[in-house]
């Protein structure tokens, strides 16, 4: 469904930048597995349910979204389009949903907020606690409504395509805007191998924002996350960019949902490419899903309009899938609608 848009994006992008966006870690097993796992699922629809018009609206932390679909945090949008994250934010706002702003954004969160749509902020906690707290305060002041803490990156994944292309630095003029410190110097982003649960407790003391833990797959970690007071968990393998060989997210989802037992919402990202994928994730217990690469393809192909197109397309496709499966609302979806894997 999104293949034509991806082809348009590819044609416009510098090949090394396409590889950065499209690629994964290692042999890209997990990158492929995310999509393949959805493709293996088969649905068991209900009929004669007289659903009438569907209602996709979904509320998370008090924000109403047009559908259970958000924009995942991804780095470096100004490599994809000159308007960068501002265009992404405009597209997401037009589609009625949340943009999760990346810590590695190439536009400051204060400027992105000018688009007017709801934002969450993704944080890579830095070993420098004072600096980390200052970044969180910046996100709060800019109006971000949740903090998404990425925990699948104690070290950076090995990205073969980037190594081959020699893609190590942003081109002149682009920087990670959230790595600027008080003096205007831009720090290097640190993937912190010393990150532990105590830092999540510390963060809860630093901010009143809901904390979403991003990048867990193991049900035991989901349980710990709940015990440490997070407001949601996000089942993710970073789009196959960190541990190659990690389980596909939709395959990890049921055990996480079971462990969490409804105490907090369970979100998922990785491999969502059509309405049936979203339907399957919701039926298996996800409260909402996030999309990464498809939004980048929309951005690269057509800026804010392209982002809106991708999100509208996915929402409309979910609406159709709900009708065809006999459901009126996302909350009507139950696990029995996922029949089998082939
Ligand atoms: C180009 C790119 C950059 C990314 N940058 C970040 C990031 O800065 N922070 C983060 O937490 N996740 C990052 N991710 C992971 C996404 O948030 C998300 O987990 C993943 O893209 C979902 O898979 P999908 O692309 O198949 O939808 C990035 C992913 C891609 C493809
Ligand atoms: C230094 C930027 C990190 C971006 C990221 O998370 C990714 O490329 O997956």
């Amino acid at each position: 469904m999104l293949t034509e848009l991806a082809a348009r994006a590819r044609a416009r992008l510098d090949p090394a930048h396409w590889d950065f966006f499209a690629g994964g870690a290692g042999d890209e097993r997990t990158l492929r597995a995310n999509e393949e796992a959805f493709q293996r699922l088969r649905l068991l629809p209900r009929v004669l349910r007289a659903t009438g018009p569907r209602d996709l609206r979904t509320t998370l932390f008090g924000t109403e979204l047009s559908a259970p679909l958000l924009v995942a945090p991804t780095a470096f949008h100004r490599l994809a389009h000159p308007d960068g994250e501002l265009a992404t934010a405009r597209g997401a706002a037009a589609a009625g949903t949340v943009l999760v702003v990346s810590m590695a954004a190439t536009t400051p969160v204060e400027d992105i907020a000018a688009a007017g749509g709801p934002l969450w902020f993704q944080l890579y906690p830095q070993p420098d606690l004072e600096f980390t707290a200052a970044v969180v305060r910046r996100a709060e002041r800019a109006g971000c409504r949740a903090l998404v803490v990425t925990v699948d990156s104690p070290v950076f994944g090995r990205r073969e395509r980037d190594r081959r292309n020699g893609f190590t630095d942003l081109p002149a003029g682009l920087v990670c805007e959230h790595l600027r410190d008080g003096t205007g110097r831009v720090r290097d982003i640190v993937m912190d191998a010393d990150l532990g649960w105590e830092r999540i407790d510390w963060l809860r003391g630093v901010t009143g924002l809901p904390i979403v833990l991003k990048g867990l797959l193991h049900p035991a970690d989901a349980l710990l996350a709940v015990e440490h007071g997070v407001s949601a968990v996000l089942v993710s393998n970073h789009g196959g960019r960190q541990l190659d060989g990690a389980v596909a997210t939709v395959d990890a989802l049921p055990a996480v949902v079971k462990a969490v037992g409804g105490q907090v919402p369970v979100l998922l990202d990785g491999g969502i490419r059509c309405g049936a994928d979203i339907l399957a994730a919701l039926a298996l217990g996800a409260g909402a899903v996030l999309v990464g690469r498809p939004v980048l393809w929309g951005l690269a192909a057509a800026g804010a309009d392209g982002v809106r197109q991708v999100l509208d397309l996915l929402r409309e496709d979910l609406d159709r899938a709900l009708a065809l499966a006999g459901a009126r609302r996302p909350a009507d979806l139950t696990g029995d609608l996922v029949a089998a894997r082939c």
Side-chain angles (χ1 to χ4, degrees), residues 41-63:
L41 293 180
R42 292 292 178 268
L43 303 172
L44 193 60
R46 301 297 304 267
V47 297
L48 294 171
R49 304 279 281 225
T51 64
R54 274 70 55 205
D55 181 359
L56 271 56
R57 288 172 301 167
T58 300
T59 300
L60 280 171
F61 311 137
T63 301

Side-chain angles (χ1 to χ4, degrees), residues 226-307:
V226 173
E227 285 169 16
H228 284 266
V230 308
S231 300
V233 297
L234 169 44
V235 173
S236 173
N237 52 37
H238 214 107
R241 294 163 74 83
Q242 287 299 107
L243 176 62
D244 192 36
V247 65
T249 51
V250 76
D251 289 338
L253 178 65
V256 169
V257 168
K258 194 168 168 213
V260 167
Q263 297 177 81
V264 298
V266 177
L267 313 178
L268 171 141
D269 73 24
I272 296 279
R273 300 295 179 261
C274 65
D277 296 344
I278 305 175
L279 187 147
L282 299 176
L284 293 171
V289 301
L290 294 81
V291 278
R293 293 183 185 82
V295 169
L296 292 169
W297 307 154
L299 177 65
D305 253 8
V307 170

Side-chain angles (χ1 to χ4, degrees), residues 109-191:
V109 64
E110 296 80 5
D111 296 359
I112 302 172
L119 303 178
W120 295 359
F121 189 86
Q122 177 264 324
L123 181 78
Y124 283 115
Q126 300 296 288
D128 182 339
L129 299 186
E130 219 173 287
F131 178 72
T132 303
V135 174
V136 172
R137 274 195 300 276
R138 242 183 107 174
E140 285 173 343
R141 264 192 240 118
C144 294
R145 303 178 187 186
L147 193 67
V148 176
V149 183
T150 301
V151 294
D152 58 14
S153 306
V155 297
F156 210 58
R158 185 183 163 98
R159 319 266 171 88
E160 300 292 348
R161 298 197 209 196
D162 295 344
R163 294 168 86 92
R164 210 183 314 124
N165 295 326
F167 179 72
T168 48
D169 287 312
L170 283 169
L174 298 190
V175 296
C176 289
E177 292 290 345
H178 305 121
L179 274 295
R180 279 190 204 277
D181 59 26
T183 67
R185 186 174 68 95
V186 183
R187 298 174 171 227
D188 286 333
I189 197 162
V190 178
M191 300 291 144

